[in-house]
Amino acid sequence: MRQKTCGEFWMRKTFGVLSLVLLFVSSLFAAEGLERPDVERWVDALLKQMTLEEKVGQLVQYSAGNATGPASEHLSFQELIAKGQLGSLLNVTGATETNALQRIAMEQSRLKIPLLFGLDVIHGYKTIFPVPLGMASTWDPQLVEQASRIAAQEASADGIRWTFSPMVDIARDARWGRIVEGAGEDPYLGQIMAAAYVHGYQGSSLSNHDSLAACAKHLAGYGAAEGGRDYNAADISERTLRQIYLPPFRSAVDSGAATVMSAFNPLNSVPASANPMTLSEILRHEWGFPGFVVSDWNAVAELIPQGVANDPATAAQKAILAGVDMDMESGLYRRSLVELVRSGSVPESVVDEAVRRVLRVKFALDLFDHPYVPAATPAPMLDATHVELARKVAEQSLVLLRNEELHGAPLLPISSNLRTIALLGPFADSASDMLGSWPGKGDAATVVTLKSALMQRMQKTGGQLLYAKGTDIDGTSDRGFQESVIAAQQSDLVVIALGESAASMTGEAASRAYLDLPGNQQKFLETIVAIGKPVVLVLFTGRPLALPWAAAHVSAIVEAWYPGIQAGPALARTLFGDVNFTGKLPVSVPRSVGQEPLYYNPPKPGRPAGNTDLSHPPRGEAEKYVSRYIDEQNSPLFPFGYGLSYTHFAYSAIKVSTASINVRTMNDKSDAIAVSATVTNNGARTGQEVVELYLGQRGTSVNLPMKELKGFKLLSLAPGQSQRVEFKVGYEELAFWNIEMRYLVEPAQVTVWIAPDSVEGPSAQFTITK
Ligand code: BGC
């Protein structure tokens, strides 16, 4: 391939032997970042060969498969590719399909610049893992990295070298449908997960042919859509933007993410896809991001309805000047950019810089030398090791929210001696829902549902599973209830699988104003619970739902999110106790929708409600003039970081290495405090515990949150076993954007918690002195 593509080019450029040396050198340094002197020289040389039309072509991307947004123009992609006027396609998959289009670029276009094929590979390609909110519930970056690596191996074998993942938007409002696509509400957990995805997709080097270029999206503030309504405006102070919303993007960029996607939404009244502050000042200049920015679907054209451009050319001009390098789907760069440059409205140097960024990524992916999927590539799809990992990740993503004692013992794990189990509800056998939103190329036929896994299990032990769907997800008819009631009456235990439709109630353009169980599922649940049998509620949702009745009346509740193709085996194994529950919530679970946005780390109010979590109207002054609702508690139903296990972990008092430390040593990073505690498994089973570190600071120039997650560790402990956990608390953990918008550590009183969640756990103090 080299002779025909890169080789021709090199001969034209007369670099001769030098070029071969550079190529050799470049392969030696393939694991390094995007910017390398050899690549820069090469990109510059190519740029000099390009006409303005060819340059603009590199900045144009269209969807050539199933549309993932509002339908747009119909074009002959073949013709554009042959003319060198298309840089990338999304939504085309398959070695044959991508190779055929690539062949046009490599054989018919003048400069033979390869196409880059992109797809939303969000939580797996064929082997579908839990949705990202579930992945975050594992609190296990290694697992997430491994899952993303597998996604990259499978997708690249089908011609894809670029995924529009990870979505690193912080989501503090459960009404927002896309909360399912990210790591939840916390910037620290978001940073850790962002890095894990990028490392997994991009592997040890982008030039490996099973690597995908990652894309951190959607810059910025998309998850802060007001009212949780998708595409709505976000108004975020610069401090909150930098402190809460940007850190996961920074983490992705620092981990080497090759691309970033600009968001749709207005951010502080400036559309995110025409926002020079986020796209240029911060991303490029402050963070030194060398990759390229792609707009979200049609976002360049949407600058017109957003009111900052009255015509397509102005929209294109604003987007490229702000820092959007590639235009996804709107066609406005294709139609306007050449003329904008010719008329002097956009300097050609701006276009050159955008093209340079795109070429850099294509080069890093080794597409010039290896543009095709080799025919001999063995398809790694759904390999047994992949499926096994899918099961493991699914197991660790399940969060046990409640497990009440019945007859002196917790209801779960289910005893293998039980003769008859009733399995009810619309999710018990819904394979497609298990795939979640953005199911890649996942196929419902590869899903093992809860019904088939439990059936198999009960057959093995000689027990009986009585299955009845009971009701539809969004149904109003009670006709199916009766069959379920009979099944429940005949059983020793009921497992009821309820939730939201993955495809239509979660993900993009699926915001909800109500956070309850859709249709008549609540009524169904109450009907079944009224029978009086022990009930295990398994929730399949893309967001935390507000289910206070269930939390008060159902003995055991498991939040399963959408666990992927191994949903059934993962659930069966945890419900029966073959494996322990280890997942913890990456989001706060509300009591009612009126609490949203609900998150554990807001700034502290001057009139806190104190320790009393009030749910009744104020009785007297002391209860009135405080930050509270008159008709709802402030606290979540289940807090961020929470999750039960079949064993119990005890936390010792915290040791702090010194009671005070000087602020200067913190800011010059020459010192840190060690905080430690001992965690003991004092239950009867082996278990894995996510040990969480929270910090709170007082006496600072700005109001910092009461608590902020700053670290976590996963421990695996046998019954009776103890382990000391130590965290370093230094500049990284304590610095913040102060009143002058400087990022530093200030003198403060610091409280530190080493805790099982964001509410419980022992605390200790230390002082940062002047
Ligand atoms: C979504 C992006 C996605 C893109 C391409 C858009 O509608 O907002 O997250 O990557 O489509 O499918």
Side-chain angles (χ1 to χ4, degrees):
M1 209 47 61
R2 171 163 298 171
Q3 277 86 7
K4 225 165 168 208
T5 59
C6 218
E8 277 179 13
F9 176 73
W10 283 114
M11 276 188 277
R12 277 200 306 272
K13 290 315 298 168
T14 67
F15 282 167
V17 175
L18 175 66
S19 69
L20 291 173
V21 172
L22 283 176
L23 251 127
F24 174 69
V25 172
S26 74
S27 66
L28 284 183
F29 292 97
E32 287 185 354
L34 289 177
E35 272 177 314
R36 301 198 315 261
D38 56 320
V39 177
E40 296 308 301
R41 272 198 294 278
W42 185 86
V43 165
D44 281 341
L46 180 52
L47 207 54
K48 283 198 190 111
Q49 297 258 306
M50 296 171 81
T51 63
L52 182 55
E53 286 76 4
E54 284 165 340
K55 289 178 185 173
V56 169
Q58 287 306 304
L59 310 182
V60 174
Q61 184 193 46
Y62 283 105
S63 167
N66 288 338
T68 38
S72 31
E73 36 184 2
H74 292 286
L75 294 164
S76 159
F77 299 121
Q78 284 81 352
E79 203 181 310
L80 286 180
I81 299 167
K83 285 202 245 162
Q85 290 177 9
L86 190 64
S88 172
L89 283 166
L90 74 151
N91 298 336
V92 194
T93 56
T96 316
E97 292 78 357
T98 54
N99 281 349
L101 291 163
Q102 192 70 293
R103 195 150 285 121
I104 303 175
M106 302 315 290
E107 292 176 4
Q108 296 179 34
S109 78
R110 193 175 72 90
L111 292 175
K112 310 189 185 334
I113 301 175
L115 292 165
L116 175 54
F117 294 100
L119 188 79
D120 293 276
V121 181
I122 306 294
H123 51 111
Y125 184 72
K126 282 273 189 193
T127 303
I128 302 300
F129 295 92
V131 288
L133 200 58
M135 297 267 237
S137 301
T138 67
W139 293 59
D140 189 338
Q142 272 180 4
L143 277 186
V144 172
E145 183 174 335
Q146 285 167 19
S148 312
R149 186 88 285 281
I150 284 175
Q153 285 163 353
E154 294 188 352
S156 57
D158 245 5
I160 303 301
R161 294 300 307 280
W162 181 21
T163 175
F164 308 120
S165 173
M167 188 193 92
V168 299
D169 294 307
I170 295 294
R172 295 174 147 190
D173 193 326
R175 291 172 293 183
W176 191 48
R178 301 195 78 169
I179 191 171
V180 65
E181 294 178 45
E185 72 189 41
D186 182 73
Y188 181 79
L189 184 58
Q191 287 174 68
I192 300 293
M193 290 297 155
Y197 281 104
V198 173
H199 290 142
Y201 292 136
Q202 300 198 166
S204 58
S205 168
L206 272 181
S207 65
N208 295 339
H209 301 154
D210 65 357
S211 291
L212 301 183
C215 182
K217 70 187 189 185
H218 310 78
L219 194 70
Y222 184 38
E226 277 185 14
R229 208 180 72 217
D230 210 359
Y231 317 124
N232 203 9
D235 220 84
I236 310 173
S237 72
E238 188 183 346
R239 177 168 297 101
T240 303
L241 190 67
R242 287 181 178 275
Q243 204 112 336
I244 305 290
Y245 290 90
L246 293 182
F249 284 96
R250 178 73 197 258
S251 165
V253 167
D254 288 350
S255 304
T259 72
V260 165
M261 187 184 289
S262 65
F264 296 119
N265 56 289
L267 169 63
N268 301 338
S269 303
V270 180
S273 286
N275 197 315
M277 178 189 165
T278 46
L279 299 173
S280 288
E281 280 166 44
I282 296 180
L283 181 65
R284 262 123 203 213
H285 302 135
E286 278 183 38
W287 299 354
F289 172 63
F292 72 86
V293 173
V294 63
S295 77
D296 203 343
W297 180 284
N298 204 39
V300 177
E302 289 170 21
L303 298 180
I304 299 173
Q306 289 203 42
V308 299
N310 286 339
D311 55 78
T314 310
Q317 181 201 28
K318 290 210 167 178
I320 191 139
L321 291 180
V324 173
D325 301 305
M326 186 182 278
D327 168 12
M328 181 192 286
E329 195 62 24
S330 88
L332 266 48
Y333 279 15
R334 186 180 68 77
R335 281 183 270 147
S336 315
L337 257 188
V338 169
E339 188 43 40
L340 283 166
V341 172
R342 296 226 160 101
S343 66
S345 307
V346 169
E348 187 158 359
S349 59
V350 170
V351 171
D352 284 355
E353 179 54 21
V355 175
R356 192 174 280 121
R357 288 171 177 278
V358 171
L359 294 179
R360 209 178 263 154
V361 171
K362 290 186 173 181
F363 183 88
L365 287 163
D366 196 28
L367 284 173
F368 284 90
D369 283 349
H370 293 95
Y372 305 109
V373 184
T377 305
M381 313 296 178
L382 291 159
D383 182 273
T385 57
H386 298 187
V387 176
E388 197 187 324
L389 188 76
R391 196 203 70 225
K392 192 164 177 224
V393 181
E395 284 167 5
Q396 290 198 210
S397 72
L398 307 171
V399 187
L400 180 60
L401 296 177
R402 189 171 147 90
N403 191 15
E404 292 300 289
E405 292 204 351
L406 281 183
H407 316 299
L411 175 54
L412 293 176
I414 300 173
S415 155
S416 299
N417 302 329
L418 282 193
R419 301 315 314 145
T420 311
I421 292 180
L423 175 65
L424 313 175
F427 290 85
D429 199 28
S430 174
S432 59
D433 280 295
M434 298 303 109
L435 298 174
S437 78
W438 294 115
K441 286 295 200 183
D443 180 351
T446 62
V447 171
V448 184
T449 64
L450 183 55
K451 181 187 165 211
S452 40
L454 285 188
M455 193 69 89
Q456 211 183 24
R457 181 145 198 140
M458 294 304 276
Q459 273 162 5
K460 257 198 217 147
T461 57
Q464 201 191 2
L465 186 78
L466 304 177
Y467 164 73
K469 184 175 169 192
T471 185
D472 288 329
I473 294 173
D474 208 9
T476 47
S477 163
D478 299 356
R479 251 178 292 140
F481 283 21
Q482 192 51 24
E483 190 194 355
S484 295
V485 168
I486 295 168
Q489 282 164 341
Q490 292 171 352
S491 303
D492 305 311
L493 175 131
V494 179
V495 177
I496 183 163
L498 304 177
E500 309 171 293
S501 155
S504 65
M505 296 175 182
T506 78
E508 188 173 348
S511 295
R512 293 186 63 197
Y514 301 93
L515 293 177
D516 51 4
L517 289 164
N520 59 3
Q521 292 184 70
Q522 178 68 29
K523 190 173 169 199
F524 180 53
L525 177 65
E526 292 182 23
T527 307
I528 298 302
V529 170
I531 296 166
K533 293 292 168 80
V535 175
V536 181
L537 168 61
V538 184
L539 291 167
F540 296 91
T541 69
R543 53 163 71 77
L545 293 187
L547 301 175
W549 188 90
H553 297 93
V554 183
S555 301
I557 305 178
V558 175
E559 176 55 78
W561 314 114
Y562 302 109
I565 55 168
Q566 283 284 293
L571 274 160
R573 280 162 51 85
T574 39
L575 291 176
F576 279 88
D578 304 351
V579 285
N580 209 333
F581 280 95
T582 61
K584 292 204 175 177
L585 291 171
V587 282
S588 304
V589 177
R591 295 174 187 276
S592 65
V593 71
Q595 291 181 304
E596 294 291 342
L598 180 69
Y599 49 97
Y600 82 96
N601 53 353
K604 306 177 274 278
R607 293 181 175 190
N611 293 330
T612 347
D613 200 2
L614 308 157
S615 59
H616 53 78
R619 288 177 301 219
E621 301 273 290
E623 288 186 358
K624 181 167 175 62
Y625 296 106
V626 291
S627 178
R628 58 164 292 179
Y629 298 101
I630 55 169
D631 50 5
E632 182 56 278
Q633 300 184 41
N634 287 352
S635 64
L637 194 54
F638 299 104
F640 173 82
Y642 171 88
L644 299 172
S645 156
Y646 289 147
T647 190
H648 181 262
F649 299 96
Y651 285 66
S652 75
I654 299 178
K655 278 199 190 125
V656 179
S657 61
T658 163
S660 75
I661 194 158
N662 189 275
V663 73
R664 258 172 294 122
T665 65
M666 284 292 188
N667 279 321
D668 66 21
K669 302 180 193 170
S670 63
D671 211 350
I673 281 194
V675 296
S676 61
T678 299
V679 180
T680 304
N681 178 351
N682 58 12
R685 284 168 162 265
T686 295
Q688 183 173 289
E689 171 73 338
V690 181
V691 180
E692 302 164 29
L693 170 77
Y694 293 90
L695 295 183
Q697 303 192 53
R698 287 179 179 275
T700 43
S701 64
V702 292
N703 180 342
L704 294 174
M706 171 81 178
K707 274 184 182 182
E708 291 176 283
L709 181 75
K710 291 292 176 177
F712 61 85
K713 288 192 172 146
L714 273 78
L715 299 187
S716 186
L717 297 176
Q721 195 185 350
S722 293
Q723 195 170 322
R724 186 170 164 271
V725 189
E726 182 178 291
F727 294 95
K728 287 269 184 270
V729 178
Y731 178 84
E732 292 280 313
E733 291 71 28
L734 291 162
F736 58 91
W737 294 93
N738 80 350
I739 192 144
E740 291 147 354
M741 284 308 287
R742 289 165 62 213
Y743 192 70
L744 42 68
V745 181
E746 285 188 349
Q749 287 294 331
V750 183
T751 305
V752 46
W753 291 261
I754 295 182
D757 58 54
S758 59
V759 170
E760 302 287 324
S763 64
Q765 264 90 31
F766 64 88
T767 306
I768 305 172
T769 58
K770 278 205 180 97

